[in-house]
Amino acid sequence: MKTEERYAGVLGWFRENVPDPRPELHYDSPFHLLIAVILSAQCTDKRVNMHTPEIFRRYPEPRDLAAASFEEVFDLVKSISYPNSKAAHLIAMARMLVSEFGSEVPDDVDKLKKLPGVGRKTANVVASVIYDKPVIAVDTHVFRLSGRLGLSDGKTVEAVEKDLSANIPPEERPKAHHWLILHGRYVCTARKPHCGECGLREWCRDYSAQEGKGRRKDKASEVAG
């Protein structure tokens, strides 16, 4: 199957079956989404969502978080992965928003990446979700699915992002991130993908390879018998 055919099939299935994917992180403002995405690194959205209501209540605006002490923020995030670095990053991020961006979350990926605790994935998530920018955030789920489906053979996050961006229309890139991440979270899971209930089997390179192995094994058994 040609790459363009695979993309057409996968994207077509998502358009029909998941027309309006939504992020699972809870937020009520661009600033609070930025906080949530920083906290979600190496942590589940479910756990982050357990703690962000109190964080959002205490720090409704960047100036509130910028004035917080490390101990105050650490106490709120201590059960989330890497609490020391995340607490420090959140405070430093808020201070930079106040001092350099007028307390507004920038809509440019490169500007977002200047903020402490914000890497390319976080910047892409915020830019696509809040500002509908034509970028794709590649996390572990998106990276895994891109390889399994045959959408990319890239060995790095940057290479996979480049392949996805080259083959997905700009207007669909914000949705594509959520399509892939949610499919990876609930269907094409890391340890044991649920291929039997996956609607993408027809276009999945890994599934086709496994089916081919099964047919060859059956044929070998017939010959041996």
Side-chain angles (χ1 to χ4, degrees):
M1 182 182 297
K2 293 182 179 180
T3 299
E4 55 266 30
E5 294 173 332
R6 200 179 304 279
Y7 270 94
V10 169
L11 295 176
W13 186 89
F14 278 129
R15 289 186 199 110
E16 182 175 349
N17 293 279
V18 194
D20 190 27
R22 297 285 181 172
E24 294 191 314
L25 285 172
H26 299 164
Y27 67 97
D28 55 14
S29 70
F31 173 55
H32 285 165
L33 176 64
L34 181 55
I35 290 175
V37 180
I38 290 174
L39 291 175
S40 71
Q42 307 272 312
C43 189
T44 65
D45 289 0
K46 182 178 180 180
R47 176 164 290 277
V48 171
N49 289 337
M50 292 170 59
H51 297 278
T52 47
E54 180 60 16
I55 296 172
F56 296 167
R57 186 189 71 79
R58 290 203 197 183
Y59 311 119
E61 300 293 339
R63 64 177 179 272
D64 303 306
L65 181 54
S69 69
F70 174 84
E71 290 74 20
E72 290 171 341
V73 178
F74 178 84
D75 190 57
L76 294 173
V77 303
K78 61 186 177 183
S79 65
I80 293 175
S81 59
Y82 305 104
N84 284 287
S85 61
K86 288 181 179 178
H89 284 154
L90 288 178
I91 295 169
M93 174 272 292
R95 289 175 178 172
M96 184 175 284
L97 282 180
V98 173
S99 64
E100 296 190 24
F101 297 104
S103 293
E104 296 292 330
V105 175
D107 63 358
D108 179 78
V109 168
D110 290 330
K111 290 180 180 179
L112 282 164
K113 286 166 59 180
K114 293 180 179 179
L115 296 168
V118 177
R120 186 167 186 83
K121 188 208 80 172
T122 296
N124 282 356
V125 170
V126 173
S128 63
V129 171
I130 298 299
Y131 300 112
D132 205 32
K133 294 289 184 176
V135 293
I136 297 177
V138 178
D139 66 357
T140 55
H141 296 295
V142 176
F143 189 90
R144 181 177 70 254
L145 258 70
S146 297
R148 285 181 177 176
L149 290 170
L151 302 179
S152 174
D153 289 318
K155 304 302 181 185
T156 65
V157 167
E158 291 78 10
V160 172
E161 181 184 337
K162 183 177 180 180
D163 287 340
L164 294 175
S165 298
N167 289 280
I168 298 175
E171 67 275 10
E172 285 194 317
R173 290 174 195 165
K175 282 187 176 182
H177 165 71
H178 296 300
W179 280 335
L180 293 170
I181 193 173
L182 293 173
H183 200 75
R185 188 172 288 166
Y186 298 111
V187 181
C188 193
T189 51
R191 294 186 178 181
K192 189 176 181 181
H194 306 290
C195 297
E197 59 189 72
C198 178
L200 300 177
R201 293 192 304 270
E202 181 179 347
W203 306 282
C204 178
R205 185 171 61 186
D206 271 18
Y207 183 78
S208 296
Q210 292 299 324
E211 285 288 284
K213 288 180 181 178
R215 286 192 293 269
R216 288 193 294 272
K217 184 177 180 181
D218 290 342
K219 186 174 181 179
S221 298
E222 291 175 6
V223 172

